[in-house]
Amino acid sequence: MGAFVSGRTLESDCFLTGRKIMTTRPYRLAAVLIALVATALLSCGGEEAVDDGEPLIGIKILAGECNTGDGADYIDGGNIEEKLGSLAIQFYTAAGTLVKVAGKNAVSLKNEELSESVKITGIPNISNARVVFSGFEVGNISSPKWRGEVSGVNFTKGKTTAVTVVLYPVAGLGCFPRPLSVPRFGHTVTELPDGRILISGGFTELSNGIWQATDSVELLDPESGTIDQIAGMVSRRALHIAVLLPDGRVIFTGGVTALETKKMTVADYPDMPLTLSFPANGVEVYTVGLPKVNLRTSDIDQSVTDFINDSSAEFFPFQSYAYVRSDETTGNGTIFMAGGVSNGTAVTSIYGIDITVGDPVSVTITQKHSDKPLVAPLMAAAGSDKAFIIGGHKASDTKFAHFVSNGSYDEWTGEALPNLFFGAIKADLANDTIVAASGLELPNGAGGFSMNNKGYKISPSTSVRSEGALFWGTWLHDLALNTAGGYFTVTGGTGSSDLSQEKVEANNFLEHVSLETMDFGTKQAFDYFKVPRILHRVAVTADGRLFLIGGIQDLKGTTLVDTIELMQLVGSL
């Protein structure tokens, strides 16, 4: 299906031009996933006109249908070509002002025009433009079913601007048009200032029963539907931390290089349900050197990573991390590193990587506190100078939540919180909110781990917290915090803590929990994504789109998840 649009503006000789182009390769997965991709060339000027001088726009809409065996898909079956009734294109300045084209708010292509040449005039010169594409179903022109946009592009007289855009469903679940180049689990995802998602490290290869970490890095571009494999890290890392600096550079540190699905003995603790080993040492700073697809003049990747600290003494398996930013403008701050296991014993020290942002970035690693053994606690920033720790304690302890800062370790004074391990935690300090969800629990006096099936909302400034039951308990999962919408979203993981079983299968559950009631039993409260996943990662873009990236389907198996699923987060439940 091609939509061809041509025309010359009277004022500036700017016009739309284009060609049909296929932007994804067909592939089938064990889940039903829909991606809609539009590729267009938008240009200004007559020198590069095609055919008879009337340039064209060619839009190819694709549906990435991955069959589950029942023939169903996210748009209720059929081909998107049969469902797209019309397409609207709108132009905005960098300041957000709508630019009219030939006196109209949008270039609109109706159903009967999608296979014809349609003249469009009146596109002015625009710098750093944002272009929005809205797709409407047949018979429905009141609200779009799909939407995509590109930003930062220029329209200049005499120049041709090539634009590739993905049309995403505005509600419900969907799929990114391309899979991961390197399927992985236990990785990091970082949204860059330009909206792309940087994916680093994780476990990728099973060798003699041991999962090995990778140094590979990928770059996901939500606008164009592309994934680029770019320069790798210096070190192989998984279960590490990635810290975004204000200038777009990313710090990688911590993590491990090996995982085994067998128990690990730790003194004074029940056996850990899995074995982590060979810590990834040092600190590196990564600079992305590949522009967005729609802004590229070359495909040459100039990404670089600088190894700025090669220390090894402060890094351990089962260590947890939290970045506390002391200066929002510069990005200066501290990465707190709590707990871990060394020679079968819980680590008693909490270290901090003090970051001074400049060119180059400089770091200093110091001990922030000692004499408090911790293993795999939950950890998040709690202010400009402190981090919050839940769990990771021995069963003989009675207090399981603390604040840590430089030289200070203070007990949580609010209502008691559980002793959690391998859970998920996120913070929104602008709204004084930390959320922790599920994980394994080791109650006071208990001889082993049990599954925690609750969510916890915490105010770090007032030491007030509330809790509520989740639909089910899970660990090795991830969550997204949508404070503005009044809820958080728990995704994936596994409900089985017994790794002696033949299978430890992932779940495909996604539940939204109200921050007000701490209850999942609300409208649109839960759903099922298509590919179960453990140790995946969740990224939320600035426009409120949640991406589920990577994971493994069975912790005792070998099937890594390359499919990237997504959904548009609702404003409120």
Side-chain angles (χ1 to χ4, degrees):
M1 174 182 61
F4 297 96
V5 185
S6 65
R8 185 180 302 276
T9 159
L10 301 177
E11 296 83 10
S12 63
D13 289 333
C14 295
F15 44 78
L16 296 171
T17 182
R19 65 186 178 190
K20 285 188 177 181
I21 162 173
M22 178 75 72
T23 59
T24 67
R25 61 178 178 85
Y27 63 98
R28 301 180 68 83
L29 302 167
V32 178
L33 308 164
I34 289 300
L36 311 173
V37 182
T39 299
L41 292 175
L42 306 175
S43 76
C44 296
E47 293 87 355
E48 298 182 38
V50 297
D51 295 333
D52 59 357
E54 293 290 342
L56 306 172
I57 179 172
I59 301 176
K60 182 69 176 180
I61 306 278
L62 304 177
E65 301 179 11
C66 305
N67 198 346
T68 60
D70 59 7
D73 62 45
Y74 286 137
I75 54 172
D76 304 319
N79 193 299
I80 184 60
E81 295 183 19
E82 301 168 357
K83 292 183 174 290
L84 183 65
S86 60
L87 185 71
I89 307 172
Q90 294 176 297
F91 300 84
Y92 295 85
T93 66
T97 302
L98 177 67
V99 177
K100 292 188 175 183
V101 176
K104 297 181 179 180
N105 290 336
V107 176
S108 182
L109 307 177
K110 297 180 180 180
N111 183 36
E112 60 270 19
E113 298 172 326
L114 290 177
S115 59
E116 301 175 2
S117 296
V118 180
K119 183 173 289 187
I120 296 175
T121 61
I123 305 172
N125 293 341
I126 316 173
S127 297
N128 197 19
R130 182 169 66 96
V131 187
V132 176
F133 297 79
S134 300
F136 297 81
E137 280 190 292
V138 174
N140 179 8
I141 60 172
S142 61
S143 59
K145 183 156 187 176
W146 306 281
R147 179 168 289 158
E149 66 175 67
V150 299
S151 60
V153 293
N154 300 318
F155 297 97
T156 307
K157 179 179 179 179
K159 302 291 183 180
T160 298
T161 303
V163 175
T164 304
V165 62
V166 180
L167 296 182
Y168 294 104
V170 299
L173 296 169
C175 176
F176 196 71
R178 286 185 174 87
L180 284 172
S181 300
V182 182
R184 60 189 77 206
F185 68 100
H187 49 291
T188 67
V189 293
T190 308
E191 188 190 359
L192 302 177
D194 64 9
R196 290 181 295 174
I197 299 170
L198 191 70
I199 304 164
S200 73
F203 299 107
T204 58
E205 182 179 352
L206 184 63
S207 176
N208 296 321
I210 302 173
W211 282 102
Q212 304 291 337
T214 183
D215 61 1
S216 75
V217 178
E218 297 183 65
L219 195 54
L220 182 154
D221 187 351
E223 285 187 359
S224 64
T226 57
I227 292 182
D228 292 293
Q229 192 167 356
I230 56 177
M233 299 180 289
V234 172
S235 298
R236 296 183 297 115
R237 302 180 186 273
L239 303 176
H240 55 297
I241 184 173
V243 173
L244 176 67
L245 301 179
D247 60 9
R249 289 179 291 177
V250 178
I251 292 178
F252 298 130
T253 192
V256 296
T257 62
L259 179 151
E260 296 176 77
T261 55
K262 67 178 185 180
K263 293 181 179 180
M264 180 175 178
T265 299
V266 180
D268 299 321
Y269 285 80
D271 287 347
M272 293 295 121
L274 47 78
T275 295
L276 304 175
S277 55
F278 301 106
N281 301 323
V283 183
E284 48 190 299
V285 178
Y286 195 94
T287 303
V288 174
L290 186 66
K292 292 197 298 183
V293 168
N294 289 321
L295 303 181
R296 283 182 198 170
T297 57
S298 168
D299 289 331
I300 298 175
D301 174 34
Q302 299 183 13
S303 301
V304 296
T305 182
D306 297 310
F307 203 55
I308 59 174
N309 182 286
D310 62 359
S311 178
S312 62
E314 303 86 2
F315 298 94
F316 306 94
F318 297 97
Q319 194 171 52
S320 297
Y321 313 98
Y323 173 51
V324 175
R325 182 177 288 187
S326 59
D327 189 315
E328 292 294 330
T329 302
T330 64
N332 293 347
T334 299
I335 300 174
F336 284 93
M337 307 188 297
V341 176
S342 177
N343 297 320
T345 303
V347 173
T348 60
S349 294
I350 297 175
Y351 295 95
I353 303 174
D354 297 318
I355 302 168
T356 302
V357 179
D359 193 11
V361 174
S362 64
V363 299
T364 304
I365 303 179
T366 59
Q367 187 184 69
K368 301 299 183 182
H369 189 75
S370 61
D371 302 325
K372 184 59 68 174
L374 296 168
V375 178
L378 281 63
M379 196 174 184
S384 61
D385 62 349
K386 59 186 177 182
F388 186 57
I389 299 173
I390 306 174
H393 286 253
K394 298 181 292 185
S396 58
D397 290 343
T398 57
K399 300 287 187 179
F400 303 126
H402 303 267
F403 293 101
V404 61
S405 57
N406 189 11
S408 176
Y409 190 84
D410 302 314
E411 288 187 357
W412 163 262
T413 59
E415 187 179 353
L417 284 161
N419 191 18
L420 295 178
F421 298 71
F422 307 107
I425 187 168
K426 292 289 171 66
D428 178 359
L429 298 184
N431 290 286
D432 190 35
T433 300
I434 296 174
V435 165
S438 203
L440 301 184
E441 182 176 355
L442 182 61
N444 174 252
F449 294 108
S450 57
M451 188 66 67
N452 178 285
N453 68 339
K454 292 184 178 180
Y456 302 87
K457 176 188 174 184
I458 298 149
S459 166
S461 68
T462 65
S463 294
V464 172
R465 65 88 156 172
S466 57
E467 68 177 57
L470 302 177
F471 185 76
W472 58 28
T474 185
W475 67 300
L476 305 179
H477 55 296
D478 203 3
L479 69 81
L481 176 56
N482 181 3
T483 314
Y487 64 95
F488 63 95
T489 302
V490 181
T491 65
T494 179
S496 173
S497 59
D498 183 4
L499 269 64
S500 66
Q501 300 178 90
E502 182 179 351
K503 294 183 177 182
V504 180
E505 294 180 320
N507 71 61
N508 63 338
F509 197 64
L510 179 153
E511 62 178 300
H512 303 304
V513 182
S514 167
L515 287 168
E516 180 179 2
T517 64
M518 293 302 291
D519 178 20
F520 66 87
T522 339
K523 181 182 179 183
Q524 295 181 324
F526 54 88
D527 208 333
Y528 294 92
F529 49 92
K530 297 301 176 179
V531 185
R533 50 188 88 209
I534 294 169
L535 282 174
H536 60 293
R537 292 295 178 256
V538 169
V540 179
T541 56
D543 57 0
R545 189 172 292 114
L546 182 150
F547 287 80
L548 294 165
I549 301 173
I552 185 170
Q553 292 195 40
D554 179 351
L555 202 56
K556 300 294 286 289
T558 60
T559 304
L560 303 183
V561 182
D562 63 356
T563 305
I564 300 169
E565 296 185 70
L566 54 96
M567 70 177 299
Q568 185 69 44
L569 294 176
V570 296
S572 60
L573 293 178

